[in-house]
């Protein structure tokens, strides 16, 4: 079970890294047009890419502190993406068709937040063992 979990977390980390690369290399036109710059998409792209890479390293090395830091980056990038998508969606005229995608981003961001929260318990347990030793 643990091996399957690690493999799935590693695949997820790679996907977040690739998603970040897409935002950096090919920022979405709607976001770029709305903000008159690709900067917001590029920023959350870098944060996604860094988070995915750090999480991947933490997953492979089994360093909970690194994996948790990477997941935190993914949570922050997801929050940035949801905020940007919400601004675009509620701009005049409102584009309700973005609602589904925006909520999916929010859902995955919440799942990442739950993972970060759970890793925090593991991190505290590790720290207590080290401090006691």
């Amino acid at each position: 079970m643990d091996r399957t979990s690690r493999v799935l977390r590693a695949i997820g980390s790679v996907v977040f890294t690739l998603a970040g690369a897409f935002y950096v290399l090919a920022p979405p036109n709607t976001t770029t047009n709305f903000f008159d710059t690709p900067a917001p998409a590029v920023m959350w792209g870098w944060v996604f890419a860094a988070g995915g890479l750090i999480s991947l390293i933490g997953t492979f090395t089994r360093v909970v502190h690194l994996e948790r830091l990477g997941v935190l980056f993914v949570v922050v990038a997801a929050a940035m993406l949801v905020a940007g998508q919400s601004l675009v969606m509620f701009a005049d005229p409102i584009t309700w068709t973005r609602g589904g995608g925006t909520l999916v981003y929010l859902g995955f961001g919440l799942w990442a937040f739950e993972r970060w929260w759970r890793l925090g318990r593991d991190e505290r347990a590790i720290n207590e063992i080290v401090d006691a030793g």
Side-chain angles (χ1 to χ4, degrees):
M1 176 73 168
D2 185 57
R3 179 175 165 82
T4 302
S5 176
R6 283 185 59 225
V7 168
L8 290 173
R9 290 190 331 260
I11 292 169
S13 296
V14 169
V15 169
F16 279 121
T17 303
L18 292 174
F22 270 102
Y23 281 116
V24 170
L25 299 174
N29 290 330
T30 51
T31 303
T32 300
N33 291 337
F34 177 79
F35 290 106
D36 292 327
T37 178
V42 171
M43 283 190 298
W44 67 61
W46 278 112
V47 178
F48 267 128
L53 188 59
I54 293 168
S55 176
L56 182 64
I57 292 168
T59 300
F60 277 135
T61 62
R62 296 182 184 198
V63 177
V64 172
H65 298 70
L66 272 179
E67 185 177 357
R68 186 170 191 233
L69 177 63
V71 172
L72 177 62
F73 276 44
V74 169
V75 169
V76 169
M80 294 166 66
L81 176 57
V82 168
Q85 287 297 296
S86 296
L87 289 171
V88 171
M89 182 173 79
F90 289 115
D92 189 34
I94 293 176
T95 53
W96 292 110
T97 56
R98 286 192 179 280
T102 302
L103 290 174
V104 167
Y105 299 144
L106 177 61
F108 281 117
L110 290 171
W111 277 0
F113 182 74
E114 188 279 333
R115 177 74 185 144
W116 173 83
W117 189 270
R118 193 169 356 116
L119 283 168
R121 288 191 312 234
D122 296 344
E123 189 177 57
R124 284 187 295 281
I126 291 167
N127 289 341
E128 287 177 16
I129 290 168
V130 170
D131 290 344

